Amino acid sequence: MEQQELVREILRLKEERRAVILAHSYQRPEVQDIADFVGDSLGLSREATRTDADVIVFCGVHFMAETAAILNPEKTVLLPDLEAGCSLAETINPEDVRAWREQHPDGIVVAYVNTSAAVKAMADICCTSANAVEVVASLPEDRPIFFVPDMFLGAHVERVTGRKLDIWLGECHVHAGIRSEDLAAQLAAHPDAEFLIHPECGCSSTCIFLRPDAKLLSTEGMVRYAAQSAAREFVVATEVGILHRLHQKAPGKRFIPVREDAICHYMKRVTLEKVYESLRDLKYVITVPEEIAVPARRALEAMLALG
């Protein structure tokens, strides 16, 4: 089936199923273009709670579809490809959190949304890269905090808030692959460009040292900033899928990826063909057992309550 026909069939099935399509900013351009809403994890989490659709087709990775299912237990949540996982989420399991809790009975667990539902169920509150600083700053200062699982985002939060955190040593393989030498090369090649860098990047500290005016931002933060900035050129340090959205929201500006091969192959597993098949066959339905969903929902709602 050709792309135009696929798009027509997706739109027809979407209406027939009373469905909404949500897509992360790292998805393929054609998948972003078919979506009703494109955004980062925080925006997608909020949008999932607002929709009155019967079916949510989540064009992202597994933990994101789980989050939508947890927040919308009465809706059907579909993930077009079950193999769309996350290297960061796989770095930690519930037993790791339980072991820390046993050592810190008065501690608070902050779980980045890039975790499994089972890990979220062990947490007190969730966060995204967009609100991690706000979440940690809201917590009591006299209790230990376990931040899981991204060590680079944790270090960023620790630096900004001044709070000492216990940080799990997990990383995203894409962001960890963006090296200090990549930044240095782009700094030399584009001295007048603004630098936008995701706090999951392992080189974020180096970037701040080399370019004190660099902006550490979530994917959605990058989009908002680029749209309102007077600058015409930006170097972008995150997964390259964001470039499509940046060009859409800030037309006429130039966006240079720090690494053109900063690609999450998990994100790219979702295709238009798979979105069509997902709607046609109502596959693959993502469900979360109630004993996990209930405590995970509490942690997610505690995050969303911050605004």
Side-chain angles (χ1 to χ4, degrees), residues 271-282:
T271 63
L272 280 182
E273 184 76 33
K274 290 176 182 177
V275 174
Y276 162 69
E277 293 173 355
S278 183
L279 277 166
R280 183 192 66 192
D281 303 332
L282 290 180

Side-chain angles (χ1 to χ4, degrees), residues 87-162:
S87 60
L88 175 57
E90 291 173 3
T91 66
I92 192 165
N93 59 56
E95 289 69 34
D96 300 318
V97 181
R98 188 175 293 112
W100 186 88
R101 281 200 179 279
E102 288 173 358
Q103 296 295 317
H104 306 85
D106 62 335
I108 299 172
V109 177
V110 178
Y112 191 26
V113 291
N114 297 44
T115 49
S116 68
V119 168
K120 289 181 179 71
M122 298 290 295
D124 296 286
I125 188 168
C126 290
C127 73
T128 71
S129 57
N131 66 8
V133 168
E134 180 185 7
V135 166
V136 170
S138 74
L139 301 176
E141 295 188 8
D142 59 347
R143 296 171 64 185
I145 297 172
F146 190 29
F147 189 95
V148 303
D150 190 272
M151 59 181 173
F152 301 119
L153 178 60
H156 167 67
V157 172
E158 196 173 55
R159 182 171 58 246
V160 174
T161 64

Side-chain angles (χ1 to χ4, degrees), residues 14-203:
K14 188 178 72 167
E15 186 174 351
E16 183 179 301
R17 300 290 193 190
R18 293 197 73 251
V20 64
I21 300 175
L22 306 182
H24 193 274
S25 296
Y26 295 161
Q27 288 288 295
R28 297 168 181 270
E30 63 271 21
V31 172
Q32 293 186 41
D33 289 344
I34 200 69
D36 297 289
F37 182 87
V38 182
D40 62 3
S41 296
L42 181 58
L44 295 173
S45 296
R46 287 176 173 153
E47 197 64 26
T49 64
R50 293 177 184 141
T51 182
D52 59 358
D54 296 330
V55 175
I56 298 172
V57 182
F58 214 113
C59 300
V61 294
H62 195 273
F63 76 80
M64 296 178 180
E66 275 191 332
T67 299
I70 290 165
L71 293 171
N72 298 273
E74 75 288 358
K75 298 183 185 301
T76 299
V77 176
L78 305 176
L79 180 65
D81 190 318
L82 283 178
E83 298 302 313
C86 174
S87 60
L88 175 57
E90 291 173 3
T91 66
I92 192 165
N93 59 56
E95 289 69 34
D96 300 318
V97 181
R98 188 175 293 112
W100 186 88
R101 281 200 179 279
E102 288 173 358
Q103 296 295 317
H104 306 85
D106 62 335
I108 299 172
V109 177
V110 178
Y112 191 26
V113 291
N114 297 44
T115 49
S116 68
V119 168
K120 289 181 179 71
M122 298 290 295
D124 296 286
I125 188 168
C126 290
C127 73
T128 71
S129 57
N131 66 8
V133 168
E134 180 185 7
V135 166
V136 170
S138 74
L139 301 176
E141 295 188 8
D142 59 347
R143 296 171 64 185
I145 297 172
F146 190 29
F147 189 95
V148 303
D150 190 272
M151 59 181 173
F152 301 119
L153 178 60
H156 167 67
V157 172
E158 196 173 55
R159 182 171 58 246
V160 174
T161 64
R163 301 284 298 274
K164 182 69 181 78
L165 309 176
D166 286 345
I167 300 172
W168 184 256
L169 299 181
E171 64 181 23
C172 159
H173 74 286
V174 176
H175 285 110
I178 298 174
R179 306 294 186 182
S180 299
E181 53 266 31
D182 301 320
L183 282 173
Q186 295 293 359
L187 279 168
H190 306 282
D192 297 325
E194 288 214 62
F195 266 61
L196 310 180
I197 185 166
H198 197 284
E200 280 186 33
C201 289
C203 55

Side-chain angles (χ1 to χ4, degrees), residues 6 43 60 77 104 158 162 236 247 258 288 297:
L6 270 176
V77 176
H104 306 85
E158 196 173 55
V236 182
H247 284 121
V258 167
V288 179
R297 190 177 302 120

